[in-house]
Amino acid sequence: MESSETEHWNEYWRSGSITSFAGRFQANYEGSIAHYWDDRARKFPPRGKILDMAAGNGAVAMLLAEASRRHGLALEIHAADAAEIHPPRQALNEASDPRGVRFWPACPNEATGFEDASFDVVCSQFGFEYGRSEDSLNELARILRPGCEAYLLCHHPDSIILRDAREEAGLADRVLSERGLIALAKALSEKMGEHPSRASLRALADNPGAESLRQGLNQEVAALQALARSEAGQSALRQWLDSVASLFGPAVEQPLTRKHQALETLSNSIRQNRKRLADLISVAVDENRLAQYRNHPGLRLEHNGAFHEKNNRLLARELVLKRL
């Protein structure tokens, strides 16, 4: 990705989240994903040099570092990402530890800058597919040692993640539309005036225009809640609704300019998240993209499978590529 294409990711990683699904994990990935990388790490060569490609704030790299210590592997782990990543402090404190993780921000898939044939293993989870396919595959073949493998968990077009992303994107589009939640909240706050008091707000109940806006806002909230069926959609919508509700509750007597600023901040946050969702939806590895992985002259597709959670929900496409 170009720098202009990563700004919304720069902002996301600045928030300090370890995973790319903020709010869905207390810290790092758990369950099936954590078990997957632990099982993989146990098969890596002891003291092997490992790259977590498109690593974000280092979720997979830190899972591998934990597995390395747990199984006595002494792996040398690197984590690279095109964005200006902000790994948690506990990871940075391990930077001088040979079993820890070294982070490389502003290091895109397509041109990592690492030496030829310098890694025993490359890993990536929900990251490799964000790069330009041909250039990323060329770089992968260049930095892997001959006979070594890359393990990729990629977005699958039919996964639960893509289903939730499409729902959340639809909610965001509706909230940001000309007659959506933000617009209605702005119109109602304007109707309240520049310096509303509790008494003046009570008088608005007798104002047909204000009452119509209030009813319209409540109807839109109900419609959005009916559309939010997934945990991800409900979580995002709950945050948006709480932000809007505060303007008509605890912050109701704030000046109009302050309310407008709050709505603009909320809108910008939703737009940035919408860009990340658009990225996610667009990069899912479908059959056309899979053909590029399968036909690369320097790599052999050793495995292409569906990766499921324990409850059998499709989570990702699992790929193993070997350097020829």
Side-chain angles (χ1 to χ4, degrees):
M1 291 185 180
E2 302 296 332
S3 59
S4 61
E5 298 174 315
T6 61
E7 182 52 38
H8 49 292
W9 284 106
N10 293 344
E11 180 178 322
Y12 177 81
W13 296 123
R14 278 195 293 268
S15 72
S17 178
I18 300 177
T19 75
S20 53
F21 303 100
R24 299 181 207 180
F25 297 90
Q26 287 188 339
N28 206 339
Y29 291 107
E30 305 160 353
S32 301
I33 290 177
H35 290 308
Y36 174 83
W37 290 114
D38 185 78
D39 288 342
R40 282 297 180 193
R42 285 188 295 171
K43 300 171 186 175
F44 293 170
R47 301 187 179 278
K49 187 175 180 182
I50 316 299
L51 175 64
D52 180 10
M53 206 169 182
N57 276 350
V60 169
M62 284 186 280
L63 288 175
L64 295 176
E66 291 168 9
S68 177
R69 290 188 286 274
R70 187 180 302 118
H71 304 300
L73 299 173
L75 300 174
E76 178 187 336
I77 301 171
H78 298 255
D81 198 278
E84 291 293 338
I85 50 180
H86 294 261
R89 185 176 300 277
Q90 64 265 31
L92 292 176
N93 288 342
E94 296 170 353
S96 61
D97 183 340
R99 300 173 303 165
V101 181
R102 181 169 182 183
F103 288 85
W104 302 85
C107 184
N109 291 359
E110 301 89 344
T112 63
F114 295 118
E115 294 181 0
D116 292 356
S118 54
F119 289 98
D120 298 296
V121 179
V122 171
C123 300
S124 184
Q125 178 177 291
F126 306 139
F128 183 82
E129 62 271 38
Y130 283 83
R132 296 187 300 275
S133 293
E134 184 176 355
D135 293 339
S136 296
L137 289 166
N138 288 342
E139 185 71 352
L140 179 61
R142 186 185 69 78
I143 63 176
L144 263 178
R145 291 177 177 137
C148 292
E149 293 180 327
Y151 302 97
L152 314 177
L153 288 183
C154 300
H155 286 302
H156 191 296
D158 299 323
S159 73
I160 186 68
I161 293 173
L162 265 290
R163 188 201 70 181
D164 289 357
R166 294 185 189 104
E167 178 187 290
E168 191 175 338
L171 291 169
D173 289 341
R174 178 158 180 160
V175 165
L176 295 170
S177 67
E178 290 184 2
R179 299 181 62 83
L181 179 74
I182 302 294
L184 288 168
K186 184 175 182 181
L188 183 56
S189 65
E190 289 173 347
K191 186 67 76 171
M192 291 176 173
E194 180 62 41
H195 297 287
S197 65
R198 296 284 175 179
S200 66
L201 292 176
R202 286 193 291 271
L204 282 176
D206 298 324
N207 183 315
E211 183 61 16
S212 176
L213 283 170
R214 188 188 67 80
Q215 291 180 6
L217 184 60
N218 288 338
Q219 289 169 3
E220 182 61 16
V221 168
L224 288 165
Q225 290 173 330
L227 291 171
R229 299 179 179 179
S230 70
E231 182 179 346
Q234 291 170 1
S235 175
L237 180 60
R238 190 160 47 247
Q239 293 177 36
W240 305 339
L241 293 181
D242 286 348
S243 296
V244 170
S246 69
L247 301 180
F248 305 102
V252 71
E253 295 184 20
Q254 286 186 351
L256 180 60
T257 52
R258 186 79 59 84
K259 292 176 182 175
H260 280 187
Q261 289 171 358
L263 287 170
E264 186 60 26
T265 297
L266 176 60
S267 296
N268 289 336
S269 175
I270 296 172
R271 289 190 190 98
Q272 292 298 315
N273 185 55
R274 181 64 178 85
K275 289 180 181 179
R276 292 193 298 273
L277 291 169
D279 286 349
L280 188 161
I281 293 166
S282 69
V283 302
V285 180
D286 57 15
E287 291 304 314
N288 289 333
R289 185 174 289 229
L290 185 61
Q292 294 179 285
Y293 289 55
R294 183 178 288 115
N295 298 326
H296 191 276
L299 299 163
R300 182 169 66 238
L301 183 61
E302 296 279 278
H303 174 74
N304 165 38
F307 180 79
H308 292 85
E309 292 183 298
K310 287 184 177 179
N311 57 14
N312 209 37
R313 295 193 304 176
L314 177 60
L315 196 64
R317 188 187 292 276
E318 180 191 4
L319 302 173
V320 180
L321 294 163
K322 175 174 279 190
R323 171 73 166 89
L324 299 177

